[in-house]
Amino acid sequence: QDYERIGGLLSGCNDLRVSAVYSKLTRERQEKCKKKFAVLSFAASDRVQSCDSDDIDDDEEAAWLHEELVELFQNFSEEETADREVMVEAIVKFGKVALEFVGDTLRSDEGFMLEAVRRGEGALVLSVAQDEMMSNTAFVVDIVRHDGTLLRMASPTLKQDTDVALEALAQTSEAFSFVADSLKSSRDFILSAVARNGMVVKHTDSCLQDDEEVVLRAVEQCSSAFQFASLRLRADRQVVEQAV
């Protein structure tokens, strides 16, 4: 029954059979934690549903949930609160209220952050990431490939990085808002961007929306980009044929 003690005995062993036992125990521990989260999540939902919508006090509900989580995590082992899968599940279930229970080890753990991004909680978790992490090119490229708008969390230097910005824009044109101004005004950069995601032209300056080469490249990649071309180019035969 003592997961920590057994884990300590087994974790350093290279024997494949023993490693399999340790993995099984880890999965059991994770499932046990997830079940506790599910029970608390159901209780929180039940509280809200049992009240008239006009009587719901969001601050009061958040305070109640916080108290419940404090009590819950007091009974978790150190290993459980340092488990990536367990803590990502807590954040998915309880959002911002669960953030304070994320320890320093996980706040500097790129694997934990990436898993949170994959589960759709990137912006929330990255708000507590260490500054060095958001200045790490490889890490930022990984997260913007999942959600381009997370470029807004990157360091100012990386927002000016052509490769990082192009990865973000390839995922969504909405990342354009977070690209450095020096890149937004670069025709060469825009040409590269629309070649990867034609819808980027939607967010560019009007002069670039009236640039035949930019628009042709955009509609070649995505015909829907045609609607964001200038009136002059929307009447241009070559542009029309490229969009059809």
Side-chain angles (χ1 to χ4, degrees), residues 161-214:
D161 186 292
T162 299
D163 293 334
V164 173
L166 287 175
E167 289 289 352
L169 291 170
Q171 200 282 321
T172 174
S173 66
E174 298 304 317
F176 193 79
S177 300
F178 312 111
V179 174
D181 290 341
S182 58
L183 293 180
K184 290 179 181 178
S185 60
S186 167
R187 183 174 182 273
D188 289 340
F189 173 77
I190 297 301
L191 282 168
S192 297
V194 296
R196 300 187 69 171
N197 185 346
M199 294 301 286
V200 169
V201 75
K202 170 184 176 181
H203 306 281
T204 61
D205 289 339
S206 58
C207 61
L208 290 168
Q209 292 173 345
D210 193 48
D211 185 309
E212 186 172 352
E213 185 179 2
V214 169

Side-chain angles (χ1 to χ4, degrees), residues 73-223:
F73 279 108
Q74 282 177 345
N75 295 314
F76 275 27
S77 68
E78 185 176 335
E79 188 174 10
E80 287 168 338
T81 55
D83 187 297
R84 290 178 183 173
E85 190 170 330
V86 168
M87 295 310 294
V88 168
E89 183 70 16
I91 289 167
V92 169
K93 281 282 193 296
F94 308 114
K96 188 176 181 180
V97 183
L99 271 185
E100 74 171 81
F101 303 101
V102 177
D104 291 340
T105 300
L106 287 181
R107 291 179 187 223
S108 60
D109 184 331
E110 292 183 5
F112 168 72
M113 295 294 174
L114 284 171
E115 182 58 27
V117 169
R118 294 187 187 104
R119 296 286 299 276
E121 298 295 338
L124 183 61
V125 175
L126 292 173
S127 68
V128 297
Q130 296 183 348
D131 291 342
E132 311 88 81
M133 194 177 293
M134 302 314 297
S135 298
N136 182 319
T137 302
F139 174 73
V140 173
V141 166
D142 277 341
I143 65 172
V144 298
R145 281 175 176 167
H146 286 280
D147 180 354
T149 65
L150 292 177
L151 181 63
R152 69 185 185 277
M153 313 292 287
S155 67
T157 299
L158 291 186
K159 289 177 181 178
Q160 300 176 54
D161 186 292
T162 299
D163 293 334
V164 173
L166 287 175
E167 289 289 352
L169 291 170
Q171 200 282 321
T172 174
S173 66
E174 298 304 317
F176 193 79
S177 300
F178 312 111
V179 174
D181 290 341
S182 58
L183 293 180
K184 290 179 181 178
S185 60
S186 167
R187 183 174 182 273
D188 289 340
F189 173 77
I190 297 301
L191 282 168
S192 297
V194 296
R196 300 187 69 171
N197 185 346
M199 294 301 286
V200 169
V201 75
K202 170 184 176 181
H203 306 281
T204 61
D205 289 339
S206 58
C207 61
L208 290 168
Q209 292 173 345
D210 193 48
D211 185 309
E212 186 172 352
E213 185 179 2
V214 169
V215 171
L216 280 171
R217 194 171 294 189
V219 296
E220 180 181 6
Q221 197 284 324
C222 176
S223 60

